[in-house]
Amino acid sequence: MSLLILPYIGLLWVPLYDFREPTLFGFPFFYWYQIAWVPLTIVLIAIAYRSVRDDE
């Protein structure tokens, strides 16, 4: 369950990722950093779900 706090921490402090560089496919870092958290969060939720499901 502590894995689920990582996206919260990663996106909480905007000054940590409020930059233009490096760009990825023309997107400033600010945008692709947030978009990168979407699939990462999906993976973390899946891991958390499997760990809870296996405990039952």
Side-chain angles (χ1 to χ4, degrees):
M1 295 301 271
S2 62
L3 287 176
L4 298 179
I5 201 163
L6 291 176
Y8 178 73
I9 292 171
L11 295 169
L12 181 65
W13 291 285
V14 176
L16 287 176
Y17 56 91
D18 189 16
F19 304 107
R20 287 188 171 269
E21 299 293 330
T23 59
L24 180 67
F25 306 115
F27 289 99
F29 180 75
F30 178 78
Y31 293 112
W32 69 259
Y33 176 81
Q34 293 179 64
I35 292 170
W37 272 103
V38 173
L40 182 61
T41 302
I42 291 169
V43 170
L44 294 174
I45 290 172
I47 292 170
Y49 173 74
R50 294 186 122 225
S51 69
V52 171
R53 190 181 70 180
D54 291 340
D55 288 343
E56 292 178 347

